[in-house]
Amino acid sequence: EGLLGPGAIAPTKTELDVGGALDLIGYQINISTMRVGVSTRNLRKAFYAAYQIGEGRSITLVQMQRVAAHCARYRTVCPFMAPFGRALFSACTAHSNPHTIFPLNEEQMAAVWMMRVLLILTEIDGIQFTRSIESFTTLRRWADWIIEYDACLTGIAIIWFKVLWDEINNVRREVAMGCWAGSLASFHLTNESGLMNTLEFTAGTIGIRGLAQRVSEPIAVMVRGDNTSAMTWAVTESYKSVYATRAAVVHAAQRVLSGIEVLGSEHLPHNKGEWFEDRNWRIDKPSRGTPWEEVLVWDKLDPYGSRLGEEMVPWEIEGVKEVLDLCNPGRGGVVDNE
């Protein structure tokens, strides 16, 4: 009413002394904890929809559409739900008749169980399994860092650029601060069919992990590379490939725990001609085994200008072997307790 004038808000929509939490349009804004989650009423509706699935042996299309819709809506405030939306919607798109009775496969049933678990956790642990109010403000500012990455069948490479403000020239500039390259030999890959998007996304997931170990507060980042699908997954938190489910779970967990938000993406195009025409070469070469020392030499020869300098040093990433093992799309079974 202070903004719009007396009487602008209906009395029925005004609440006093709510203890710091307010339910509206299906969400709960808790000022005392500075978190946003699912309102109590909608939480019960969503859990009931997931509970109705039972063991997944005889399901109707309408039942699955309800669960998938709840996942699509509430992943905004519980990002851990995002990796399971693809499996839930796959059960819906396979049928057109709303009254058809069908069973769920193992992956789809695992997604339903994760919805049940996560809905309960948003209620009993309103800090870890909801979203901070600050994270929404992060999405409305300039990126603090840029994560540039690439992947091939044998390896991945990452460069982290810190975005600084040049007060003399009144422009923003990027400074390469860290680099990392690692092998994907443990994935035992033999062809690129359906996997390259997942490998690129895994590289971005490792990039998030490496940066999370060097920042102590919520930050905004941009991702940059040659694979638009993988970068779109990171920006929208919507994962389209069955191979990416494991990496998506790790990705979501790291972003929640670190407070890192992905603002957007920038495509590095492949151009025919001289080596420097391929704008992705700085991360393509080390992903295929070129040492960083050679990359720095080539960087100085780039006629478009150098982008790397003495500030860039190799970064160590704690737990990277274990994370790559979790992300491995060839690992047997559905997403498990790990």
Side-chain angles (χ1 to χ4, degrees), residues 83 86-87 107 193-199 201 229 233 238-248 329:
R86 188 208 58 79
E107 184 196 14
S193 177
L195 288 177
M196 281 313 301
N197 290 347
T198 297
L199 299 183
F201 180 69
S229 294
W233 294 352
S238 179
Y239 315 100
K240 305 299 183 183
S241 171
V242 63
Y243 303 113
T245 302
R246 294 184 181 280

Side-chain angles (χ1 to χ4, degrees), residues 120-173:
I120 292 173
L121 288 173
T122 61
E123 179 70 16
I124 65 177
D125 188 347
I127 301 298
Q128 291 293 333
F129 295 91
T130 56
R131 184 169 176 176
S132 70
I133 293 176
E134 184 180 10
S135 68
F136 290 95
T137 65
T138 304
L139 293 173
R140 289 167 174 79
R141 71 189 195 204
W142 290 98
D144 305 293
W145 288 79
I146 297 173
I147 305 174
E148 189 168 306
Y149 56 84
D150 194 23
C152 65
L153 291 178
T154 57
I156 59 180
I158 307 161
I159 300 176
W160 293 271
F161 293 86
K162 187 171 180 58
V163 182
L164 304 174
W165 182 257
D166 187 339
E167 295 184 358
I168 297 177
N169 299 307
N170 201 33
V171 294
R172 297 173 68 84
R173 64 187 183 92

Side-chain angles (χ1 to χ4, degrees), residues 5 37 63 65 97 101 116 122 159-160 174 179 181 206 210 258 265 268 290-291 295 297 329:
Q63 285 179 306
Q65 286 175 330
N97 187 330
I101 305 296
R116 295 169 179 169
T122 61
I159 300 176
W160 293 271
E174 301 173 12
C179 59
I206 297 297
S258 66
S265 62
L268 294 176
T290 301
V295 174
V297 172

Side-chain angles (χ1 to χ4, degrees), residues 181-193:
S183 171
L184 291 179
S186 62
F187 282 25
H188 303 294
L189 303 175
T190 57
N191 61 73
E192 299 188 10
S193 177

Side-chain angles (χ1 to χ4, degrees), residues 4-72:
L4 305 176
I9 306 299
T12 56
K13 295 182 179 180
T14 299
E15 294 190 39
L16 301 175
D17 192 24
V18 293
L22 182 66
D23 289 353
L24 69 164
I25 59 170
Y27 300 102
Q28 182 182 89
I29 300 175
N30 193 316
I31 300 300
S32 61
T33 62
M34 295 297 286
R35 311 292 295 187
V36 182
V38 187
S39 70
T40 301
R41 179 174 179 271
N42 285 49
L43 184 67
R44 291 170 178 168
K45 289 172 60 178
F47 183 80
Y48 180 70
Y51 180 78
Q52 272 195 314
I53 299 300
E55 295 301 317
R57 297 190 181 94
S58 300
I59 308 304
T60 67
L61 179 59
V62 173
Q63 285 179 306
M64 281 309 301
Q65 286 175 330
R66 288 196 188 103
V67 179
H70 285 304
C71 179

Side-chain angles (χ1 to χ4, degrees), residues 316-329:
E316 295 290 335
I317 304 177
E318 182 182 348
V320 68
K321 181 180 181 300
E322 292 78 10
V323 170
L324 283 174
D325 186 42
L326 287 174
C327 293
N328 188 346

